[in-house]
């Protein structure tokens, strides 16, 4: 992980932070967010930051990158977590669950924002892992699930509500248990989506929560071979309490919100004939429950198109079965009160029976029964006596709303039940397919804080408290408890425990839910204010509870209305208005009997409790709060029974900006998610632990028992050599040590992992995933060798038989080859026997043609002979001439093939200006100048000196002389006793440029971009070529001083004079006596004497 991402991306795992502080945590989070790295690890926990932009992180190629890889092998990603959960289920037969949490919903100024980044990628990767592992060949396997795919940010072009959600159904079928009819599943999935989603504040969608994991046993559970898996929701219909929690949003929404999508898609997208048959109109504002949403941006192109798109071209049979109960805004919206006031859809002159006719047409019960259920209530008093009580206008409105919410809840449960029935695995046999295991994905809602927080927000935040308590227990407490049980040294870590907050809500007889139920069951008139007063009296001393009465100076709360709970995520102020009514949420038995007696079979199936006799006295149903608490307890128990994997989501800012990182907002989320405590635990703990016998079974290949009746070990010819033992030669195939712990210790010490492990009483603890991966990698490499062991005997027999057939042929071929080799060697010895006495040391000797087997031998022999011959020649050269030889070799390497003549055939004198023959009359002044420079600079030797013709940047040419020592390059004036005109340190000369013709042009390139261009002349003889000598001498000197000198050969030389670039070319001028420089259009030209 760390090696795949540079330091500019921060730490890929928060466990690797230098210091575990909030500042370091946020700085690493900010750096990764700014670089587009939205996923970061805390051990096996994934922290996801909403990028608010489209990133190339998903798709089949990304799934392939993470398939079968350990967490640290690739950069952090949700796919790695999904693969880890799948491998835990496959390898260890563990029920696993992936909990996606951390969404933080706030409506104080910024609006409702979603930060969940996990459900859609998980739904994309988990089926692919299973499908690839099976390869589509197992005929008894099936993977089938329905998912929601949600955008990270609102789509700017979508109409009908910004950020509208899409539903996508993913179905994988690597084989089938039986031929499945999945058309109802495809038709019902969009219905489940539109019934479970609604538009929230700021145009953001809200999804009904599905806080249920699939049960470990029971019918309707898809399985996959020996390790079947399924994604939530599935298994059974969610408990009605979860639906009831959001039923109130049918009746009333927050300002800026609208009702569930199903209502608007039906009204705006259904065909006109269907609406006419249901007695509905297009205008959502004509109905009480959709009127608030109709005032916003509701358009047929957006929401209405969802009817045709979500329904795959229109309603099919399953859709039509749902349509009559789905139209519950219609009767509930048209019935205002029991006084006979109707909506404006029907004229006031219409008769009451005509007004009720459309309702009775959609619901098979008669018009009279429906009217009686809405306006009256029948109560069984015992002894078969019935009392019929008429409703007041307020009671009739309550009955109407309760009926609408109940229809919504029953319809949703029916849809989920149909989906579960369509994806259920049949003919599953534990004896045939193995143990049944599951992967549950729980995508929960986050904390909600609005301007006005009511009963729904109270339940949602209580749910988050319970799940945070579970997180603490599973990640922190269980970690420490296991280390204590195993005797591993543990550093105690202080962390925030929200158990007092959970007890404040759910404690029997003293918690808020218990007090709320007590108020609902009390006789007489009990108001919300009295309920608040009861809480102030009995919970006033609780440190996490307060109200305006308990804190009169806090003016953010109202008297007799508000109370505040100090949640682990922050303080939330709740309004008690409506708590009692929402908690009761009682549906009269008259409605249950009404719908159960319907002629519609689907409607009857939704109301099985209506079968109860009208004279039977029923018990008071459980309240909404109690049902929700019971379901939360069941959910927590279900989660606690599985191996958890966590995705913690963080929202970087409220403006949905892809670049803004709000540090205070992120600090609060990191704090309430308990991420710092998680990092401390991971740093102090170990990433992997396993019982000794299972560890040896996997990496030491130890049999599960030491039964003396086991077969003896394999014979020697079938045994693996020591280097191929299964990860450890001391434990394969069975160890002889006293305990499994000693064998485990020997295995790990042989690999050098003793500093990264700890040994408990029954388990081995490995600190880093790298150690585990190394063991897995070595095991994966050795398993094929063990498999090959089984093929060894048969392949050996075949090879030995073939060897016998070929041995005779190879024997004949060997004798013939030896004959050819001997003949070649005898001929070679004859020809080269007397080469030491030859003048050319055997250069003219022709080598014999070798046989094919000795072709490489002859090449090597020729190279050795050439080296021997060169050595014989060099031995005869005097030591004083070796410097000239090395210079000529250097010049040959640089100029060979590039310049025709470079003076290799003559002797190189180097210092020509000191020679009276070369410099008559001026040799003595030059010698004095040379001695003066030597006394001043203390150079070692003269490398080269000669008269030259030079050109300057003003296009003026002069006669000068150059002197090259082992330290400097001097430009001298011969007319002034060889006065030094310019001195360049030889270390500043970076290269030489010469031409390929006879011209003696040399350009010295310098680091200061002020080059020196000269032409050698006044040589004796005049046609002497000294360019090669100058090049060779400088190259040999640079090689001795370990410097690099670039030599370029070109007829068009580019030079730089005081930073200005010029071109220098050579032109032959017939009749010229001496070379001279001239000016050209692009720079300079050297006129060289020639024919």
């Amino acid at each position: 992980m760390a090696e795949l991402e540079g330091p500019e991306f921060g730490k890929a795992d928060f466990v690797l932070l230098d210091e575990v502080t909030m500042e370091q945590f946020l700085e690493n989070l900010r750096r990764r967010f700014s670089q587009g790295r939205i996923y970061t690890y805390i051990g096996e926990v994934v922290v996801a930051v909403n990028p608010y932009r489209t990133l190339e992180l998903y798709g089949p190629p990304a799934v392939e990158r993470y398939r079968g890889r350990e967490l640290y092998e690739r950069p952090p990603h949700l796919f790695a977590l999904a693969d880890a959960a799948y491998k835990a289920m496959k390898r260890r037969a563990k029920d696993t669950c992936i909990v996606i949490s951390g969404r933080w919903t706030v409506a104080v100024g910024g609006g409702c924002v979603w930060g969940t980044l996990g459900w859609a990628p998980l739904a994309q990767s988990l089926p692919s892992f299973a499908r690839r592992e099976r390869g589509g060949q197992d005929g008894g396997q099936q993977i089938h699930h329905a998912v929601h795919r949600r955008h990270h940010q609102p789509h700017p072009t979508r109409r009908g509500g910004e950020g509208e959600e899409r539903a996508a159904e993913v179905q994988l079928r690597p084989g089938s248990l039986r031929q499945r009819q999945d058309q109802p599943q495809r038709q019902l999935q969009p219905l489940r989506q539109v019934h479970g989603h609604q538009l929230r504040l700021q145009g953001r969608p809200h999804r009904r929560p599905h806080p249920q994991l699939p049960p470990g046993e029971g019918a309707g559970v898809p399985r996959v071979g020996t390790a079947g898996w399924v994604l939530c929701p599935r298994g059974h219909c969610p408990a009605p309490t979860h639906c009831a929690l959001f039923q109130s949003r049918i009746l009333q929404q927050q300002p800026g919100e609208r009702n569930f999508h199903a209502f608007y898609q039906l009204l705006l997208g259904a065909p006109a004939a269907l609406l006419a048959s249901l007695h509905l109109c297009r205008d959502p504002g004509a109905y009480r429950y959709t009127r608030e949403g109709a005032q916003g941006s509701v358009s047929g192109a957006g929401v209405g198109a969802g009817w045709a798109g979500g329904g795959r071209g229109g309603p099919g049979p399953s859709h039509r079965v749902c349509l009559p109960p789905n139209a519950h805004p219609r009767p509930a919206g048209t019935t205002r009160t029991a006084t006979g006031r109707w909506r404006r859809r029907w004229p006031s002159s219409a008769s009451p029976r005509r007004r009720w006719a459309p309702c009775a047409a959609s619901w098979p019960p008669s018009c009279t029964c429906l009217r009686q259920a809405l306006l009256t209530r029948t109560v069984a008093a015992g002894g078969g006596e019935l009392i019929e009580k008429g409703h007041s206008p307020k009671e009739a409105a309550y009955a109407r709303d309760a009926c609408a919410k109940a229809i919504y809840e029953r319809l949703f449960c029916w849809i989920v039940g149909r989906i579960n029935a369509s994806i259920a695995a049949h003919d599953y046999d534990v004896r045939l397919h193995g143990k049944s295991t599951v992967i549950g994905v729980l995508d929960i809602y986050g904390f909600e804080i609005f301007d006005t927080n009511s009963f729904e927000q109270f339940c949602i935040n209580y749910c988050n408290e319970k799940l945070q308590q579970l997180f603490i227990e599973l990640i922190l407490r269980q970690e420490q408890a296991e280390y204590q049980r195993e005797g591993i040294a543990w550093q105690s870590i202080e962390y925030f425990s929200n158990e007092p907050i959970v007890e404040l809500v759910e404690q029997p007889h003293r918690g808020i839910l218990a007090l709320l139920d007590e108020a609902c069951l009390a006789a007489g008139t009990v108001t919300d204010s009295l309920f608040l007063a009861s809480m102030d009296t009995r919970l006033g001393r609780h440190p996490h509870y307060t109200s305006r009465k308990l804190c009169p100076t806090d003016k953010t709360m109202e008297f007799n209305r508000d109370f505040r709970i100090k949640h682990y995520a922050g303080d939330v102020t709740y309004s008690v208005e409506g708590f009692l009514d929402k908690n009761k949420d009682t549906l009269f038995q008259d409605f249950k009997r009404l719908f159960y007696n319907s002629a519609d079979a689907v409607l009857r199936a939704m109301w099985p409790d209506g079968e109860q006799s009208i004279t039977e006295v029923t018990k008071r149903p459980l309240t909404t709060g109690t049902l929700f608490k019971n379901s939360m307890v069941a959910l927590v128990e279900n989660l606690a029974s599985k191996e958890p994997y966590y995705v913690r989501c963080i929202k970087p800012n409220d403006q949905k900006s892809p670049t803004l990182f709000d540090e205070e907002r992120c600090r609060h989320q990191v704090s309430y998610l308990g991420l710092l405590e998680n990092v401390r635990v991971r740093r102090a703990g170990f990433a992997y632990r396993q019982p000794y016998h299972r560890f040896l079974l996997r990496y030491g290949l130890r049999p599960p028992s030491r039964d003396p009746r086991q077969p003896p070990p394999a014979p020697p010819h079938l045994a693996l050599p020591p280097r191929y033992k299964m990860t450890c030669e001391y434990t394969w195939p069975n160890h002889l040590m006293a305990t499994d712990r000693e064998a485990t210790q020997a295995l790990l010490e042989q690999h050098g992992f003793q500093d990264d492990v700890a040994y408990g009483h029954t388990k081995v603890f490995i600190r880093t995933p790298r150690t585990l991966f190394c063991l897995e990698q070595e095991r994966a490499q050795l398993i094929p060798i063990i498999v090959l062991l089984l093929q060894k005997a048969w392949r050996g027999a075949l090879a030995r038989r073939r060897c016998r057939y070929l041995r005779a042929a190879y024997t004949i071929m060997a004798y013939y080859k030896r004959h050819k080799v001997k003949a070649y060697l005898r001929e070679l010895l004859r020809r080269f026997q007397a080469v030491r006495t030859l003048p050319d040391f055997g250069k003219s000797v022709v080598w014999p043609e070798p046989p094919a087997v000795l072709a490489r031998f002859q090449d090597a022999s020729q190279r050795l002979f050439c080296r021997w011959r060169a050595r014989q020649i060099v031995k005869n050269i005097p030591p004083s001439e070796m410097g000239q030889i090395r210079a000529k070799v250097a010049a040959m390497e640089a100029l060979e093939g590039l310049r025709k003549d470079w003076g290799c055939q003559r002797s190189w004198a180097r210092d020509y200006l000191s020679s009276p023959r070369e410099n008559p009359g001026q040799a003595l002044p030059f010698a004095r100048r040379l001695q003066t420079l030597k006394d001043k600079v203390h150079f070692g030797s003269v490398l080269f000196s000669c008269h030259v013709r030079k050109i300057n940047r003003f296009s003026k040419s002069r006669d000068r002389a150059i002197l090259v020592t082992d330290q400097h390059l001097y430009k001298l004036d011969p007319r002034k006793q060889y006065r030094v005109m310019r001195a360049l340190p030889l270390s500043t000369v970076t290269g030489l440029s010469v031409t390929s013709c006879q011209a003696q042009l040399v350009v010295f390139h310098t680091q200061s971009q002020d080059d020196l261009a000269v032409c050698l002349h006044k040589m004796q003889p005049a046609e002497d070529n000294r360019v090669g000598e100058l090049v060779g001498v400088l190259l040999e000197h640079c090689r001795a001083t370990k410097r690099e000198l670039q030599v370029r050969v070109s007829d068009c030389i580019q030079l730089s004079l005081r930073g200005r670039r010029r071109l220098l070319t050579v032109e032959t001028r017939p009749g010229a006596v001496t070379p001279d420089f001239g000016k050209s259009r692009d720079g300079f030209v050297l006129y060289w004497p020639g024919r």
Side-chain angles (χ1 to χ4, degrees):
M1 182 173 61
E3 64 269 22
L4 297 178
E5 293 186 333
E8 67 274 10
F9 299 114
K11 302 295 178 59
D13 195 328
F14 285 111
V15 177
L16 304 177
L17 290 176
D18 298 331
E19 297 180 4
V20 185
T21 62
M22 180 64 74
E23 289 70 22
Q24 291 256 358
F25 192 99
L26 292 176
E27 172 60 24
N28 189 63
L29 196 68
R30 181 200 60 77
R31 178 178 298 182
R32 294 185 62 78
F33 172 74
S34 62
Q35 296 289 340
R37 297 308 197 263
I38 65 173
Y39 294 119
T40 312
Y41 289 142
I42 304 178
E44 294 183 352
V45 177
V46 175
V47 179
V49 182
N50 197 330
Y52 290 117
R53 67 179 186 270
T54 301
L55 297 175
E56 298 297 331
L57 294 178
Y58 310 108
V63 174
E64 291 299 325
R65 288 190 65 207
Y66 289 88
R67 186 192 314 278
R69 300 287 184 176
E70 298 297 330
L71 283 177
Y72 84 98
E73 288 188 75
R74 292 282 187 265
H77 201 289
L78 203 64
F79 291 168
L81 186 77
D83 184 68
Y86 183 75
K87 286 189 294 187
M89 181 186 70
K90 286 289 294 179
R91 294 179 181 176
R92 302 194 298 272
K94 291 275 189 178
D95 285 343
T96 60
C97 64
I98 301 175
V99 181
I100 307 170
S101 63
R103 200 162 41 207
W104 179 252
T105 307
V106 179
V108 183
C112 176
V113 180
W114 283 60
T116 299
L117 306 173
W119 172 247
L122 281 175
Q124 181 184 22
S125 60
L126 281 172
S128 301
F129 295 150
R131 174 180 53 191
R132 179 62 178 269
E133 181 167 337
R134 289 157 181 79
Q137 298 178 0
D138 191 347
Q141 301 171 349
Q142 177 157 346
I143 304 172
H144 198 98
H145 71 276
V147 301
H148 293 290
R149 182 170 296 144
R150 179 173 55 251
H151 296 290
H152 293 321
Q153 60 180 359
H155 199 289
T157 61
R158 182 167 298 199
R159 304 179 62 186
E162 184 183 10
E164 196 74 42
E165 294 189 13
R166 297 185 301 159
E169 180 182 293
V170 180
Q171 297 179 348
L172 255 54
R173 300 178 178 224
S176 177
L177 292 176
R178 64 178 180 83
Q179 191 66 24
R180 184 184 299 271
Q181 299 295 331
D182 64 338
Q183 189 62 24
Q185 150 78 3
R186 294 171 179 249
Q187 294 175 340
L188 285 172
Q189 169 61 19
L191 277 179
R192 192 186 68 81
Q193 177 211 2
V194 299
H195 280 74
H197 295 71
Q198 67 177 160
L199 193 67
R200 302 299 303 278
L201 292 175
Q202 301 296 329
R204 304 293 295 176
H206 177 72
R207 180 166 59 88
R208 286 169 33 98
H210 301 283
Q212 246 105 8
L213 285 175
E217 315 254 286
V221 180
R223 306 293 179 186
V224 183
T226 60
W229 63 277
V230 67
L231 292 181
C232 177
R234 78 103 175 93
H236 61 278
C237 177
T241 54
H242 300 292
C243 302
L245 177 58
F246 290 88
Q247 289 172 16
S248 59
R249 285 174 175 159
I250 297 176
L251 312 179
Q252 185 178 5
Q253 299 86 40
Q254 295 279 349
E257 298 179 359
R258 76 170 183 221
N259 216 318
F260 291 94
H261 298 338
F263 307 149
Y264 304 96
Q265 292 189 4
L266 172 64
L267 296 177
L268 299 177
L274 178 61
L275 291 180
S277 65
L278 297 174
H279 304 280
L280 297 175
C281 66
R282 289 281 183 199
D283 183 16
Y287 302 98
R288 176 185 181 89
Y289 298 151
T290 58
R291 190 186 312 161
E292 296 181 9
Q295 297 172 359
S297 58
V298 180
S299 64
V303 177
W307 174 266
R312 304 183 187 276
S318 298
H319 288 70
R320 282 201 170 273
V321 171
C322 300
L323 283 179
N326 190 28
H328 59 259
R330 171 176 43 79
T334 54
T335 307
R336 293 286 286 179
T337 64
T339 59
R341 296 178 58 197
W342 301 86
R343 290 291 300 152
R344 57 182 175 85
R345 177 166 173 77
W346 290 280
S348 58
S349 59
S351 64
R353 181 171 296 276
R354 182 180 176 186
R355 295 168 184 168
W356 288 102
C359 304
S362 294
W363 272 302
S366 64
C367 175
T368 304
C369 297
L370 178 60
R371 182 177 182 276
Q372 183 179 3
L374 287 169
L375 300 182
T376 63
R377 176 187 178 190
T378 302
V379 181
E385 182 180 358
L386 300 177
I387 300 176
E388 185 174 297
K389 178 180 175 294
H391 289 321
S392 65
K394 182 178 180 180
E395 292 172 341
Y398 176 84
R400 174 203 63 200
D401 293 341
C403 177
K405 293 188 292 183
I407 292 175
Y408 160 79
E409 175 247 328
R410 300 298 177 100
L411 173 61
F412 188 87
C413 289
W414 180 84
I415 292 174
V416 174
R418 287 293 299 271
I419 294 177
N420 291 334
S422 66
I423 66 177
H426 301 277
D427 302 329
Y428 181 81
D429 190 349
V430 176
R431 295 171 298 177
L432 178 63
H433 301 103
K435 178 184 176 182
S436 171
T437 52
V438 299
I439 295 179
V441 178
L442 175 62
D443 185 3
I444 65 171
Y445 37 63
F447 268 83
E448 286 192 352
I449 299 182
F450 296 104
D451 294 330
T452 301
N453 300 290
S454 187
F455 182 70
E456 295 85 1
Q457 285 72 44
F458 173 77
C459 292
I460 290 174
N461 295 343
Y462 159 64
C463 172
N464 279 272
E465 291 285 356
K466 289 287 292 183
L467 292 175
Q468 176 65 11
Q469 183 186 29
L470 176 67
F471 178 76
I472 291 174
E473 292 177 354
L474 295 181
I475 299 299
L476 302 177
R477 294 182 178 178
Q478 291 183 3
E479 191 90 358
Q480 297 183 17
E482 182 176 11
Y483 289 6
Q484 292 173 0
R485 288 195 306 269
E486 292 293 328
I488 302 297
W490 176 262
Q491 180 181 358
S492 179
I493 296 177
E494 298 294 333
Y495 54 86
F496 175 79
S497 175
N498 65 337
E499 187 172 352
I501 306 174
V502 176
E503 291 182 353
L504 171 66
V505 177
E506 68 177 15
Q507 187 177 12
H509 309 297
R510 298 181 60 183
I512 294 178
L513 290 178
L515 297 179
L516 182 60
D517 289 349
E518 182 180 329
C520 292
L521 298 177
T525 302
V526 180
T527 63
D528 295 325
S529 300
L530 293 177
F531 165 61
L532 178 59
S534 175
M535 287 196 299
D536 291 341
T537 301
R538 302 174 66 172
L539 302 175
R541 296 185 179 181
H542 198 284
H544 296 277
Y545 173 86
T546 186
S547 67
R548 182 64 184 276
K549 180 180 179 180
L550 300 176
C551 187
T553 58
D554 189 353
K555 297 184 179 180
T556 59
M557 295 184 290
E558 295 291 336
F559 280 107
N560 299 325
R561 191 193 73 178
D562 296 339
F563 68 94
R564 181 174 296 157
I565 297 179
K566 296 180 180 179
H567 291 282
Y568 79 93
D571 297 349
V572 183
T573 302
Y574 299 99
S575 172
V576 295
E577 294 180 355
F579 260 58
L580 295 179
D581 290 339
K582 293 176 181 178
N583 189 48
K584 294 177 184 178
D585 198 26
T586 303
L587 179 67
F588 299 138
Q589 189 71 15
D590 301 70
F591 289 105
K592 299 177 183 179
R593 287 192 293 268
L594 174 70
F595 296 126
Y596 177 76
N597 293 321
S598 169
D600 192 315
V602 174
L603 203 57
R604 288 173 57 89
M606 294 182 188
W607 302 87
D609 46 354
E611 186 180 5
Q612 199 171 32
S613 173
I614 191 174
T615 60
E616 184 176 347
V617 179
T618 60
K619 296 181 180 180
R620 185 184 296 271
L622 297 176
T623 61
T624 300
T626 301
L627 290 174
F628 188 79
K629 181 187 74 171
N630 296 340
S631 64
M632 285 308 305
V633 172
L635 171 63
V636 169
E637 292 178 354
N638 201 348
L639 285 173
S641 65
K642 293 173 173 56
E643 183 172 327
Y645 293 85
Y646 288 92
V647 181
R648 312 297 266 175
C649 303
I650 292 179
K651 186 181 70 170
N653 57 75
D654 291 331
Q655 290 73 31
K656 298 182 283 295
S657 169
T659 58
L660 179 61
F661 185 84
D662 190 340
E663 184 170 339
E664 288 302 320
R665 182 139 182 88
C666 294
R667 181 189 302 271
H668 185 69
Q669 295 177 78
V670 170
S671 177
Y672 81 70
L673 288 174
L675 299 183
L676 280 181
E677 287 80 2
N678 196 359
V679 174
R680 293 191 182 100
V681 169
R682 290 294 179 180
R683 284 172 69 98
F686 298 84
Y688 177 82
R689 70 287 315 267
Q690 192 71 271
Y692 292 121
H693 68 280
R694 296 190 62 182
F695 184 84
L696 291 174
L697 185 63
R698 183 163 186 84
Y699 303 111
L701 218 65
R702 170 190 176 274
S705 64
R706 298 186 185 176
D707 191 345
R709 294 172 296 178
Q710 287 183 343
H717 71 279
L718 292 180
L720 288 175
R723 66 180 183 275
Y724 290 143
K725 298 295 184 182
M726 175 57 77
T727 71
C728 180
E729 58 182 307
Y730 303 111
T731 61
W732 192 90
N734 50 3
H735 69 83
L736 302 177
M737 300 181 185
T739 62
D740 290 345
R741 173 174 176 171
E742 295 180 8
T744 302
Q745 188 172 355
L747 187 150
L748 293 171
E749 288 179 354
Q750 180 172 344
H751 290 80
F753 297 145
Q754 59 272 13
D755 296 332
D756 197 44
V757 300
Y759 303 99
H761 299 312
T762 62
K763 295 181 180 180
V764 58
F765 290 76
I766 299 178
R767 186 178 302 277
T768 62
R770 179 183 294 274
T771 298
L772 181 65
F773 171 69
C774 291
L775 291 173
E776 285 288 337
Q777 190 177 37
E778 185 171 350
R779 181 180 185 273
Q781 293 174 354
L782 292 178
I783 282 182
I785 301 177
I786 298 176
V787 173
L788 291 176
L789 182 64
L790 303 178
Q791 305 171 2
K792 178 181 177 182
W794 174 243
R795 290 182 177 179
L798 293 178
R800 286 189 292 271
R801 185 175 64 180
R802 184 171 181 269
C803 181
R804 287 194 300 270
Y805 291 157
L806 296 179
R807 185 169 295 171
Y810 286 156
T811 302
I812 298 173
M813 293 169 60
Y815 276 103
Y816 178 74
K817 287 181 179 180
R818 284 197 292 269
H819 167 71
K820 295 288 290 184
V821 169
K822 290 178 181 179
Y824 167 78
L825 293 177
R826 282 194 292 267
E827 179 64 19
L828 191 65
L829 181 62
R830 185 187 65 80
R831 295 187 183 187
F832 284 89
Q833 191 171 8
V835 292
R836 292 180 180 272
T837 61
L838 298 178
D840 60 353
F841 295 103
K843 181 180 180 181
S844 58
V845 175
V846 179
W847 289 70
E849 185 69 22
V853 70
L854 293 180
R856 295 176 60 186
F857 168 77
Q858 178 157 314
D859 293 340
S861 299
Q862 289 176 346
R863 288 193 297 269
L864 290 175
F865 175 74
C866 291
R867 293 172 65 89
W868 173 83
R869 182 173 171 274
R871 178 61 180 168
Q872 297 300 318
I873 296 174
V874 169
K875 284 195 306 183
N876 297 327
I877 299 176
S880 59
E881 300 293 332
M882 288 305 298
Q884 183 177 165
I885 295 297
R886 285 194 293 269
K888 288 185 178 182
V889 171
M892 181 184 66
E893 292 176 353
L895 302 178
E896 182 71 24
L898 300 177
R899 187 178 173 90
K900 297 179 180 178
D901 184 15
W902 47 275
C904 65
Q905 301 297 331
R906 62 176 182 83
S907 177
W908 289 357
R910 298 194 181 189
D911 188 5
Y912 292 97
L913 295 182
S914 298
S915 172
R917 177 178 173 275
E918 177 77 18
N919 192 15
Q922 292 184 338
L924 185 59
F926 176 77
R928 294 194 190 99
R929 178 65 62 185
L930 188 64
Q931 185 63 37
T932 302
L933 290 175
K934 189 170 185 179
D935 296 340
K936 181 179 179 180
V937 182
H938 304 290
F939 59 82
S941 62
V942 176
L943 301 182
F944 187 82
S945 65
C946 184
H947 287 106
V948 298
R949 184 77 173 174
K950 69 96 180 179
I951 184 73
N952 61 11
R953 59 192 178 97
F954 301 109
S955 304
K956 295 181 179 180
S957 59
R958 296 286 188 274
D959 284 337
R960 295 288 187 265
I962 61 170
L963 171 63
V964 182
T965 69
D966 56 357
Q967 295 182 10
H968 290 81
L969 167 64
Y970 297 99
K971 182 176 69 173
L972 309 176
D973 190 355
R975 295 175 301 177
K976 298 181 180 180
Q977 301 297 319
Y978 290 99
R979 182 170 64 88
V980 176
M981 305 290 294
R982 182 181 179 185
L984 289 174
L986 209 58
S987 60
T988 63
V989 177
T990 60
L992 296 176
S993 293
V994 298
T995 63
S996 61
C997 60
Q998 293 293 329
Q1000 301 297 297
L1001 177 63
V1002 180
V1003 177
F1004 296 88
H1005 300 284
T1006 65
Q1007 295 177 353
S1008 60
Q1009 302 296 318
D1010 190 9
D1011 301 340
L1012 177 62
V1014 299
C1015 177
L1016 310 180
H1017 75 142
K1018 296 183 179 180
M1019 298 177 292
Q1020 296 297 331
E1023 65 277 4
D1024 202 359
N1025 196 326
R1026 297 177 181 174
V1027 171
E1029 181 179 357
L1030 177 58
V1031 170
V1033 167
L1034 287 178
L1035 282 175
E1036 177 60 25
H1037 175 72
C1038 292
R1039 187 172 302 170
T1041 57
K1042 297 181 179 180
R1043 288 196 306 109
E1044 185 176 358
L1045 184 69
Q1046 298 290 335
V1047 178
R1048 291 183 289 273
V1049 180
S1050 174
D1051 291 333
C1052 183
I1053 300 174
Q1054 185 178 27
L1055 71 157
S1056 178
L1057 298 176
R1058 297 290 181 89
R1060 187 174 181 182
R1061 297 187 179 277
R1062 302 291 183 86
L1063 293 179
L1064 179 57
T1065 58
V1066 179
E1067 182 178 333
T1068 302
R1069 175 175 289 181
V1073 179
T1074 60
D1076 196 8
F1077 288 96
K1079 188 176 182 181
S1080 66
R1081 183 178 62 180
D1082 298 327
F1084 309 108
V1085 60
L1086 173 64
Y1087 298 106
W1088 182 257
R1091 298 178 182 178

